[in-house]
Amino acid sequence: MGGGIYLIQDDDRLVEMTEQPYNSEDQLQELLETYPNLIAGDQIDRATPRRWLLISRDVTLLSEDESAGRWSLDHLFLDQDAIPTLVEVKRTRNADSRHKIVGQILDYAANAVVYWPIESIIALFEANCREQNRDPEQIFEEFLGIDANEDRFWQKVKTNLQAGKFRLVFVADEISSEMRRVVEFLNEQMDPVEVLALEIKQYVSQDGLKTLVPRIIGQTAEAQQKKSSATRERRRWDEVSFFAELKSRRGEDEAEMAISIHDWVRSQDDELEVHWGTGDTYGGFAAQLNQRGRKPYQLFTIDISGRLEISSNNYGSQPPFSEEDKWLQLRSKLSSIGLSLPMSPTERRSPSLPLSTLQDESALNLVLETFDWIVEEIQAS
């Protein structure tokens, strides 16, 4: 095969590395599983490089009338904005498979919403974590950070799938000019779906050194312009920009409610902090209670859509509310302000409360008093 790259060693020795084909498609699949960064997230989005959470390899989709799997996908990833990324790998030497790949992956995408309920995706992720002897919560925190709301992230995965917002990536050791034109055409025409090809060339030296060079293909200027809304969703908020935008979108009264809640957080002791997030649709700020020697507690979030939201999983997985009697007390307290928790602390739910319901001063005071009680209970545990 043609072409090569050169390494200059510390002793100024020039090492020539020549392109070498992969032994099998399985070898390339294993590399992607082990090194997800090969998907070149910095090339997909230079402003905010994509990071990858592997959900599973060899993902099977079941049809309604078949007990056996009808489709099998090489890899399913999520990026940090909860956008599902479907990856299919083929070597260029496998001509028949290469010719089928476009129809194959479009078939997956067309059926993903029907046959991939969010519960199945979570189960795949957790099963994959168990196979690696890793804690799913630890992997999730490493991926999105300790302040991330896991329930909201999974809900956003569901929302993206229902909206047809996902990414299709064809992976090969070499992308032909014909394949490139097909990918560019699909990427320009399929909105909001992003269709890309990923070429990963392998170079090997006589000494056994190996280098992998990924290159993203398919991002025409027209396609990037059509999909620019994805960039807007990653807007990072701060105190000034958030309240100004909330007032513009939801009105002065709801903005005042959010400011009052923000001021309550800031008025507490140093252990309670405001954490600003990103996202033009869901972003806002979170109230986080820090604890010495323990995982921080995220009490609630206020988002740009004008809602106060909590995570049942966040409360139910930590003391004191992981205990049944405390959970029932919490459930009763939150029910009085319009937040409905499930019966079991292990059930995932993200109840929310519109800020418009708090315009009565007594309603707002009741909410703040409820969270005063929650903070006291946590600190006493």
Side-chain angles (χ1 to χ4, degrees):
M1 301 182 71
I5 61 176
Y6 300 87
L7 298 179
I8 300 177
Q9 301 288 67
D10 291 340
D11 59 0
D12 289 334
R13 181 170 58 94
L14 189 69
V15 177
E16 181 179 3
M17 308 182 75
T18 57
E19 188 179 344
Q20 180 174 306
Y22 297 95
N23 296 328
S24 64
E25 289 175 6
D26 189 65
Q27 180 188 8
L28 189 48
Q29 290 176 26
E30 288 181 358
L31 286 169
L32 289 171
E33 181 179 13
T34 307
Y35 309 109
N37 285 343
L38 286 172
I39 306 176
D42 57 334
Q43 296 180 38
I44 292 175
D45 189 334
R46 297 186 185 281
T48 311
R50 301 293 83 200
R51 293 181 284 105
W52 310 109
L53 177 68
L54 175 64
I55 297 302
S56 186
R57 179 179 168 185
D58 297 326
V59 180
T60 299
L61 280 73
L62 298 176
S63 62
E64 292 175 341
D65 55 353
E66 298 178 36
S67 58
R70 182 174 176 185
W71 300 281
S72 179
L73 179 70
D74 288 334
H75 301 84
L76 174 62
F77 291 90
L78 300 174
D79 72 10
Q80 68 264 43
D81 289 328
I83 297 175
T85 299
L86 288 64
V87 176
E88 187 69 14
V89 179
K90 290 290 182 289
R91 284 195 307 162
T92 54
R93 289 190 174 188
N94 192 340
D96 285 342
S97 295
R98 189 174 72 251
H99 293 157
K100 295 176 183 177
I101 192 173
V102 174
Q104 193 176 30
I105 204 165
L106 292 179
D107 205 6
Y108 303 153
N111 290 279
V113 176
V114 178
Y115 301 120
W116 274 352
I118 189 61
E119 294 78 12
S120 297
I121 295 178
I122 295 173
L124 282 170
F125 169 65
E126 292 178 344
N128 187 55
C129 292
R130 287 194 296 271
E131 289 179 5
Q132 301 176 46
N133 294 318
R134 296 284 307 279
D135 178 6
E137 286 195 8
Q138 180 185 359
I139 292 179
F140 192 84
E141 287 181 3
E142 290 173 358
F143 177 57
L144 283 182
I146 197 170
D147 299 333
N149 185 320
E150 187 174 351
D151 287 340
R152 175 174 288 191
F153 180 81
W154 291 120
Q155 182 60 43
K156 194 172 182 182
V157 175
K158 179 179 179 180
T159 300
N160 284 335
L161 276 174
Q162 291 175 337
K165 186 173 183 179
F166 42 82
R167 183 181 294 111
L168 311 177
V169 182
F170 309 89
V171 181
D173 52 348
E174 185 175 358
I175 303 297
S176 66
S177 58
E178 293 85 357
M179 186 65 173
R180 175 175 187 147
R181 285 194 290 270
V182 169
V183 170
E184 289 178 348
F185 174 79
L186 290 174
N187 199 27
E188 289 176 359
Q189 299 302 316
M190 295 178 65
D191 188 18
V193 178
E194 188 172 24
V195 183
L196 302 170
L198 173 62
E199 182 181 81
I200 305 179
K201 290 186 177 293
Q202 177 180 237
Y203 296 85
V204 179
S205 72
Q206 291 182 348
D207 298 334
L209 295 174
K210 183 183 294 185
T211 296
L212 302 173
V213 181
R215 181 169 69 106
I216 288 292
I217 294 169
Q219 289 184 311
T220 64
E222 182 178 351
Q224 288 180 305
Q225 184 175 6
K226 285 183 177 180
K227 297 171 175 62
S228 61
S229 60
T231 302
R232 292 196 297 271
E233 289 185 1
R234 293 187 289 276
R235 177 175 182 176
R236 177 164 293 280
W237 299 106
D238 57 27
E239 185 173 344
V240 174
S241 62
F242 177 78
F243 292 119
E245 183 67 16
L246 187 63
K247 180 179 178 180
S248 174
R249 294 191 193 186
R250 307 294 305 175
E252 186 171 352
D253 289 341
E254 289 190 30
E256 287 297 325
M257 294 302 101
I259 291 171
S260 296
I261 295 170
H262 173 269
D263 290 345
W264 172 83
V265 177
R266 296 290 299 273
S267 69
Q268 305 301 304
D269 57 38
D270 294 339
E271 292 181 340
L272 196 57
E273 297 179 346
V274 171
H275 286 255
W276 292 100
T278 60
D280 194 59
T281 304
Y282 300 103
F285 69 87
Q288 178 175 291
L289 179 63
N290 296 321
Q291 306 179 89
R292 294 177 183 175
R294 287 188 185 179
K295 177 181 176 181
Y297 243 104
Q298 183 170 289
L299 301 182
F300 57 80
T301 60
I302 303 291
D303 65 36
I304 195 64
S305 65
R307 304 186 74 84
L308 181 152
E309 182 175 288
I310 64 171
S311 165
S312 65
N313 181 63
N314 183 56
Y315 280 99
S317 63
Q318 303 177 76
F321 303 115
S322 53
E323 301 171 9
E324 184 177 357
D325 59 334
K326 289 294 184 181
W327 177 259
L328 292 177
Q329 289 182 45
L330 175 68
R331 191 169 181 269
S332 176
K333 286 280 189 178
L334 291 178
S335 177
S336 69
I337 61 173
L339 292 169
S340 177
L341 288 177
M343 288 297 296
S344 170
T346 60
E347 184 178 341
R348 296 174 182 271
R349 189 184 297 177
S350 299
S352 61
L353 185 68
L355 294 178
S356 58
T357 64
L358 305 179
Q359 294 182 24
D360 184 307
E361 186 176 352
S362 61
L364 176 62
N365 288 337
L366 182 59
V367 168
L368 298 182
E369 289 168 6
T370 300
F371 282 103
D372 275 327
W373 174 84
I374 289 173
V375 169
E376 290 173 2
E377 289 293 318
I378 295 172
Q379 290 178 331
S381 66

